[in-house]
């Protein structure tokens, strides 16, 4: 009897790490085993020295349906404590992505709902298939948002729009999600992974150090006062200036300008 395939896959290709949700028969909904693997894989990805960008993708017809509702239903009332533990474990992986200085590009297809919305928000740039649908749907089950939805959604789309999603059963179309700023690009269903990989490759092959530092500055801004953020910007650009990456690019830019 063959072993069951891992529910979260990871591989690296020339500076780009690929994290793949691999539970397609359950719409990539998380159970505890998948949650633990997710936490482990994300930590591995963001701490690997060779990785300059990450692609977050999924197998099957959906990106992520959040938690495994079937397991919740079978668990009875007592499942509440397990659900809290499950959320904490998945949160560890989301935090690893968000708090890292590695840009994360999501490739989104099919339906993304519930905690899957939080997984999507853990990316920094999202490419979505034209037929995707994105929403909350927590209240449909009498549950409250988790997996970073309340922590990140309002920052991504604005408070009023965030409330529209969590207080209704609305599923955004790809064009609506693009208009709201929840995703960055819309592409055909068969091109979504290729395009996300191309964006990640451009980052990895470009000024990856500067991209990563810029991500960190924006993602961590809430932890500082305005004045402290200005000081951190100044410190970061000063440190970046002395790197070989910046010195080479500044010299090339200056030489190009002198030839005009």
């Amino acid at each position: 009897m063959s072993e069951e395939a891992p529910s979260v896959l990871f591989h690296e290709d020339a500076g780009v790490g690929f994290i793949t949700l691999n539970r397609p028969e359950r719409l990539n909904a998380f159970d505890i085993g998948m949650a633990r693997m997710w936490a482990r894989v994300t930590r591995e990805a963001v701490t690997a020295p060779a990785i300059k960008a990450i692609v977050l993708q999924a197998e099957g017809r959906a990106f992520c349906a959040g938690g495994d509702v079937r397991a919740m239903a079978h668990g009875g009332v007592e499942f509440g404590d397990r659900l809290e533990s499950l959320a904490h474990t998945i949160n560890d992986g989301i935090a690893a992505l968000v708090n890292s200085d590695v840009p994360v590009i999501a490739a989104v297809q099919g339906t993304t709902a519930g905690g899957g919305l939080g997984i999507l928000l853990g990316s920094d740039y999202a490419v979505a298939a034209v037929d995707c649908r994105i929403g909350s749907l927590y209240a449909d089950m009498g549950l409250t948002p988790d997996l970073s939805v309340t922590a990140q959604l309002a920052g991504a789309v604005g408070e009023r729009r965030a409330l529209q999603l969590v207080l209704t059963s609305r599923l955004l179309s790809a064009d609506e999600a693009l208009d709201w700023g929840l995703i960055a690009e819309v592409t055909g269903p068969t091109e979504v992974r290729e395009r996300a990989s191309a964006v990640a490759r451009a980052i990895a092959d470009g000024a990856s150090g500067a991209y990563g530092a810029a991500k960190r500055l924006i993602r961590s801004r809430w932890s500082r006062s305005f004045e402290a953020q200005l000081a951190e910007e100044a410190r970061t650009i000063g440190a970046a200036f002395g790197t070989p990456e910046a010195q080479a690019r500044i010299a090339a830019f200056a030489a190009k300008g002198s030839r005009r």
Side-chain angles (χ1 to χ4, degrees):
M1 184 175 179
S2 60
E3 293 185 5
E4 185 176 348
S7 53
V8 182
L9 306 173
F10 174 65
H11 75 278
E12 183 264 338
D13 180 19
V16 177
F18 292 84
I19 298 174
T20 306
L21 305 182
N22 188 41
R23 203 171 177 235
E25 72 284 357
R26 299 297 303 139
L27 302 182
N28 296 308
F30 281 81
D31 62 5
I32 190 61
M34 183 175 177
R36 289 168 177 162
M37 192 166 294
W38 159 260
R40 183 170 66 252
V41 165
T42 49
R43 287 194 296 267
E44 178 184 348
V46 300
T47 56
I51 291 180
K52 308 303 181 185
I54 291 170
V55 173
L56 178 57
Q57 58 191 15
E59 294 291 348
R61 59 189 178 90
F63 178 70
C64 181
D68 191 332
V69 178
R70 183 183 297 174
M72 296 179 198
H74 291 168
V77 175
E78 294 78 11
F79 193 81
D81 290 340
R82 292 172 60 193
L83 184 57
E84 180 178 350
S85 177
L86 177 69
H88 282 307
T89 302
I90 302 171
N91 285 342
D92 287 344
I94 296 173
L97 296 179
V98 170
N99 294 331
S100 77
D101 58 0
V102 183
V104 179
I105 317 302
V108 183
Q109 79 279 4
T111 300
T112 297
L117 178 57
I119 300 296
L120 170 59
L121 290 165
S123 70
D124 306 303
Y125 190 108
V127 180
V130 68
D131 59 351
C132 81
R133 295 292 181 268
I134 302 172
S136 169
L137 304 187
Y138 281 97
D140 288 6
M141 295 177 289
L143 298 176
T144 55
D146 66 343
L147 304 191
S148 85
V149 171
T150 65
Q152 298 199 82
L153 182 59
V157 303
E159 185 176 279
R160 302 297 290 182
R161 283 178 163 173
L163 287 167
Q164 289 178 45
L165 280 189
V166 302
L167 297 180
T168 71
S169 299
R170 182 174 181 177
L171 286 172
L172 299 178
S173 69
D175 287 341
E176 288 173 325
L178 180 66
D179 180 61
W180 283 28
L182 191 56
I183 61 175
E185 298 184 30
V186 177
T187 188
T190 61
E191 292 89 34
V192 63
R193 282 196 182 192
E194 180 181 358
R195 178 56 190 155
S197 296
V199 173
R201 176 63 56 203
I203 291 172
D205 293 344
S208 58
Y211 287 131
K215 169 196 168 167
R216 179 187 59 80
L217 282 168
I218 290 175
R219 283 291 202 175
S220 64
R221 72 194 184 281
W222 303 111
S223 65
R224 305 184 191 91
S225 67
F226 180 70
E227 292 77 13
Q229 181 70 3
L230 296 183
E232 182 61 14
E233 287 181 346
R235 186 198 68 78
T236 300
I237 196 171
F241 184 82
T243 64
E245 176 182 83
Q247 287 295 299
R249 288 177 175 272
I250 290 169
F253 190 88
K256 182 178 180 181
S258 68
R259 292 195 295 268
R260 293 177 180 172

